[in-house]
C-alpha cells in the first residue's frame, strides 16, 4: 500500500468524483483511476461504489477512511513542523479571504509586502468556502467569524463597518416602507447573515431582485441600478456612482478574524506578513 494512493482515496472520498479529486491534487483523471484501482487491489476490497452521481464509500471504504485521515494528519503535522522551522524569507504563502476583502483591503498590503520580500510568492485564494489550515490548504486565513479549530492561533483583526448603497438613478428609499425598492442580498445559503434580516426589517415592503454570495458582485449590480445593497464601507465607498443611503440606523458591523496553524508560528515569511497586515489593517 502506497501513502500517495491513500491521498487519492481521501480526495475522491471528499470530492465525490474522479474529475474533482484530480483537480484537487493536480493530476489527470485517468491517473486517479489507475491509482484507485491499485489501492483497491492492494487492500483486496472495493472501496467505492460507482453511481451516476459520483463515488460513494462502500462499507470497506468507510472502514479505511478514519485510518487514512489519521495517516494524513500525521504526515501534515510533520510537514507543518518542518516548514515552521524555516527562517528564510522565501518560498510560498497561501492565503484565503473573501473576494472583496482581498481586492480592496489585502491587495495593497500584499503589494507592499512583495516589494519588501520579493522572494516570497503569495498565492491568494478567494472563495466562500473555508480552506483547511490543518491540511495546509492555506497558511493564513481571514474570516468573518472566530476560528473554532483547537490548533489554530487567531485574533480579531478589525471591525468592519457596513452601509446601505444605491446607484444615483435608483428610487429613494424610506425606512419602514421600501415599496417600489429593489434589494440585493446574500444568497439563501447565507440568509442568516445579520445584514440580510436588518435590511428586510428596515424596508419591509421592498422586493429582493438579486442574490449573490459575493459582495463584489452585489456592488456591481448595485452600481447598475438593480437595487439597494448592504456593502462593506471600503467596498461601497470605493465605487464611483454609488451613494450611501441613510435609513436612520446603521447596518450591523462584522468582525474580521485572522488565523494560522500553531505549527506555523515560527515560519519567518508568515511572521513577516502578519506584522505588515496587523500594522496596516488592525483596529
Amino acid at each position: 500500500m502506497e501513502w500517495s494512493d491513500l491521498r487519492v482515496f481521501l480526495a475522491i472520498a471528499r470530492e465525490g468524483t474522479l474529475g474533482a479529486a484530480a483537480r484537487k491534487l493536480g493530476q489527470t483523471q485517468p491517473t486517479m483511476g489507475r491509482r484507485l484501482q491499485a489501492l483497491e487491489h492492494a487492500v483486496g476490497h472495493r472501496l467505492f461504489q460507482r453511481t451516476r452521481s459520483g463515488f460513494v464509500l462502500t462499507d470497506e471504504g468507510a472502514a479505511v477512511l478514519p485510518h487514512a485521515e489519521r495517516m494524513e494528519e500525521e504526515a501534515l503535522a510533520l510537514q507543518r513542523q518542518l516548514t515552521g522551522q524555516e527562517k528564510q524569507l522565501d518560498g510560498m504563502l497561501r492565503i484565503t479571504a473573501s473576494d472583496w476583502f482581498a481586492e480592496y483591503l489585502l491587495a495593497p498590503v500584499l503589494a507592499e509586502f512583495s516589494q519588501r520580500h520579493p522572494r516570497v510568492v503569495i498565492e491568494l485564494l478567494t472563495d466562500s468556502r473555508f480552506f483547511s489550515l490543518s491540511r495546509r490548504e492555506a497558511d493564513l486565513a481571514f474570516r468573518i467569524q472566530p476560528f473554532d479549530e483547537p490548533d489554530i492561533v487567531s485574533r480579531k483583526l478589525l471591525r468592519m463597518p457596513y452601509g446601505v448603497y444605491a446607484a444615483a438613478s435608483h428610487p429613494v428609499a424610506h425606512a419602514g416602507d421600501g415599496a417600489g425598492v429593489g434589494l440585493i442580498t446574500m444568497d439563501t445559503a447565507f440568509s442568516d447573515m445579520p445584514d440580510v434580516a436588518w435590511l428586510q426589517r428596515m424596508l419591509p415592503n421592498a422586493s429582493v431582485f438579486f442574490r449573490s454570495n459575493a459582495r463584489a458582485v452585489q456592488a456591481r449590480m448595485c452600481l447598475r441600478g438593480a437595487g439597494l445593497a448592504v456593502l462593506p464601507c471600503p467596498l461601497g465607498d470605493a465605487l464611483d456612482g454609488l451613494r450611501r443611503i441613510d435609513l436612520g440606523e446603521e447596518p450591523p458591523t462584522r468582525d474580521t478574524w485572522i488565523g494560522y496553524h500553531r505549527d506555523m508560528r515560527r515560519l519567518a515569511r508568515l511572521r513577516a506578513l502578519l506584522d505588515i497586515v496587523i500594522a496596516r489593517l488592525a483596529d
Side-chain angles (χ1 to χ4, degrees):
M1 187 187 304
E2 296 287 340
W3 159 240
S4 57
D5 291 339
L6 284 173
R7 290 184 67 235
V8 169
F9 166 78
L10 286 172
I12 297 172
R14 289 165 178 160
E15 302 298 326
T17 67
L18 279 181
R23 290 190 293 273
K24 183 76 173 179
L25 297 184
Q27 299 189 18
T28 66
Q29 188 168 329
T31 298
M32 297 287 285
R34 288 193 298 271
R35 294 178 65 181
L36 175 59
Q37 288 179 351
L39 177 61
E40 291 180 327
H41 178 75
V43 300
H45 293 283
R46 293 288 294 273
L47 301 179
F48 292 98
Q49 179 182 354
R50 282 71 166 172
T51 70
R52 289 184 178 180
S53 58
F55 281 56
V56 179
L57 286 169
T58 61
D59 290 344
E60 293 80 7
V64 169
L65 182 62
H67 298 283
E69 289 176 332
R70 285 195 293 272
M71 292 174 68
E72 177 191 47
E73 177 53 36
E74 287 299 320
L76 290 171
L78 174 61
Q79 183 184 23
R80 287 193 307 266
Q81 187 167 6
L82 293 176
T83 301
Q85 303 300 320
E86 294 179 7
K87 304 300 182 183
Q88 301 90 344
L89 278 171
D90 58 13
M92 188 178 77
L93 283 174
R94 185 177 290 113
I95 304 170
T96 173
S98 62
D99 56 349
W100 77 267
F101 190 89
E103 181 177 356
Y104 288 90
L105 289 180
L106 274 186
V109 178
L110 297 179
E112 181 179 351
F113 175 83
S114 295
Q115 290 174 351
R116 294 186 185 183
H117 308 292
R119 296 175 60 186
V120 178
V121 178
I122 298 292
E123 184 173 285
L124 182 58
L125 310 172
T126 57
D127 202 307
S128 59
R129 71 183 180 94
F130 284 170
F131 289 88
S132 172
L133 296 171
S134 298
R135 293 201 296 267
R136 294 287 318 268
E137 292 178 348
D139 300 313
L140 187 66
F142 296 83
R143 296 181 183 172
I144 59 173
Q145 63 189 49
F147 293 78
D148 56 8
E149 300 93 329
D151 294 333
I152 302 306
V153 178
S154 66
R155 59 160 287 175
K156 186 170 73 173
L157 181 65
L158 57 87
R159 174 155 290 181
M160 182 63 61
Y162 283 68
V164 182
Y165 292 86
S169 59
H170 197 271
V172 176
H174 300 284
D177 182 14
V181 172
L183 301 182
I184 299 170
T185 70
M186 299 298 290
D187 64 20
T188 53
F190 294 89
S191 59
D192 59 345
M193 297 278 279
D195 58 275
V196 176
W198 179 88
L199 188 58
Q200 293 176 338
R201 175 174 62 82
M202 297 298 293
L203 300 170
N205 298 319
S207 300
V208 175
F209 283 1
F210 182 78
R211 301 180 191 272
S212 173
N213 67 344
R215 296 286 189 185
V217 174
Q218 292 180 18
R220 291 296 172 182
M221 292 296 291
C222 185
L223 190 60
R224 297 284 183 176
L228 300 183
V230 175
L231 301 172
C233 290
L235 170 59
D237 291 348
L239 296 177
D240 292 335
L242 286 185
R243 56 190 173 96
R244 200 185 299 193
I245 306 299
D246 184 7
L247 295 180
E249 179 183 322
E250 295 296 325
T253 59
R254 298 300 301 268
D255 292 329
T256 297
W257 297 75
I258 186 171
Y260 56 93
H261 197 280
R262 65 183 181 185
D263 290 345
M264 307 292 284
R265 62 186 180 274
R266 295 188 182 90
L267 184 61
R269 57 184 180 271
L270 180 61
R271 298 304 315 175
L273 178 59
L274 282 169
D275 288 344
I276 191 171
V277 166
I278 291 170
R280 299 292 180 266
L281 300 181
D283 288 335

